[in-house]
Amino acid sequence: MDTQSNNFKHYFVSTKHDASEFFKFKFELDGKNFEFTSCSDVFSKNNIDEGSLVLIKTILKHQELYSGKILDMSCGYGAIGVILSAFLDATFDMCDINTLALELCKINAQNNNAKTDKIFVSDMWQNVDATYDAVVSNPPIKVGKKVLLDFLRGIKDHLNDHGSVTIVIKKNLGADSTKKYLKDIFGNCEILCRDRGYYILKSTKE
């Protein structure tokens, strides 16, 4: 693993932790209360990161566009899928490469009564064998362009007709080029929101 990957090892390295090392934090949104179990060596361990919050709030502003079967790709400990499932008329699959994050995700889905079906390990699209009405993600941009491109190229094959992908990305980490990639792949890409440097991009399989 190179130096860049070492800086973001929580995306890849499933460090072993005993349950005694887990801790909890609370979160509230629009009158709904959530409690998340977390631990060290996962992304944004102490609170829900700003990018995911912008993504969640933007989707909820357009929630009439999100229903059916949704995949939370690179789900981490489950914040996006768990919170959205409390508001949307949808069932979630959730996947990540990091088995520690997925262990926490399963706990958080159960403890928050999330509407989930499968929570499973996948190195990007490797183990994704279903198609979805929507894919949502806060993708691991900082691990490099190749990972992002592999993610973007694989989306279309895993969407139902008229399905959509919605992602969050910071402007200074390639929002403009990512919008271009999505437009090249889908023929369309809209900016649903700009907030504090975060862009919410949405493309639809037409």
Side-chain angles (χ1 to χ4, degrees):
M1 184 176 294
D2 59 23
T3 301
Q4 185 183 36
S5 295
N6 272 321
N7 290 335
F8 304 100
K9 67 178 183 177
H10 47 259
Y11 292 120
F12 301 108
V13 180
S14 300
T15 307
K16 183 66 177 176
H17 285 266
D18 186 85
S20 64
E21 300 175 80
F22 295 173
F23 58 85
K24 297 180 180 182
F25 68 87
K26 296 182 184 297
F27 177 76
E28 186 273 335
L29 182 65
D30 292 345
K32 293 186 183 291
N33 296 301
F34 303 88
E35 184 176 80
F36 287 96
T37 299
S38 184
C39 72
S40 60
D41 294 320
V42 295
F43 175 64
S44 194
K45 62 183 178 180
N46 294 313
N47 49 52
I48 299 170
D49 64 286
E50 288 188 12
S52 293
L53 280 177
V54 174
L55 178 65
I56 290 165
K57 290 177 180 180
T58 301
I59 289 173
L60 292 181
K61 286 180 181 178
H62 301 271
Q63 61 182 280
E64 71 279 0
L65 303 177
Y66 298 88
S67 61
K69 189 75 169 180
I70 299 178
L71 174 67
D72 179 1
M73 167 64 79
S74 302
C75 64
Y77 56 74
I80 294 171
V82 166
I83 294 169
L84 288 177
S85 79
F87 295 92
L88 300 180
D89 181 18
T91 302
F92 281 77
D93 282 356
M94 306 170 78
C95 68
D96 200 286
I97 192 173
N98 189 306
T99 55
L100 171 62
L102 284 175
E103 180 181 357
L104 296 169
C105 183
K106 290 176 181 177
I107 293 170
N108 291 326
Q110 180 175 359
N111 289 348
N112 291 283
N113 298 311
K115 299 189 293 288
T116 58
D117 186 4
K118 292 173 59 180
I119 299 174
F120 61 99
V121 174
S122 186
D123 183 355
M124 203 57 66
W125 299 105
Q126 186 178 50
N127 296 327
V128 181
D129 55 11
T131 57
Y132 296 89
D133 299 301
V135 172
V136 299
S137 185
N138 182 355
I141 305 297
K142 293 182 179 179
V143 300
K145 183 178 289 187
K146 183 184 183 301
V147 174
L148 176 62
L149 290 178
D150 288 346
F151 168 64
L152 297 178
R153 290 182 187 121
I155 295 169
K156 199 170 185 179
D157 290 339
H158 296 281
L159 287 176
N160 297 323
D161 290 344
H162 310 297
S164 66
V165 56
T166 307
I167 67 170
V168 58
I169 182 170
K170 267 197 148 182
K171 180 171 177 56
N172 65 349
L173 293 177
D176 291 335
S177 60
T178 302
K179 182 184 177 185
K180 181 180 182 300
Y181 294 142
L182 284 169
K183 191 169 183 179
D184 288 344
I185 294 167
F186 289 92
N188 63 84
C189 183
E190 60 180 315
I191 301 172
L192 288 184
C193 177
R194 296 181 181 91
D195 187 353
R196 292 167 292 173
Y198 291 98
Y199 278 41
I200 306 301
L201 304 177
K202 179 175 180 286
S203 291
T204 302
K205 182 177 179 180
E206 297 178 335

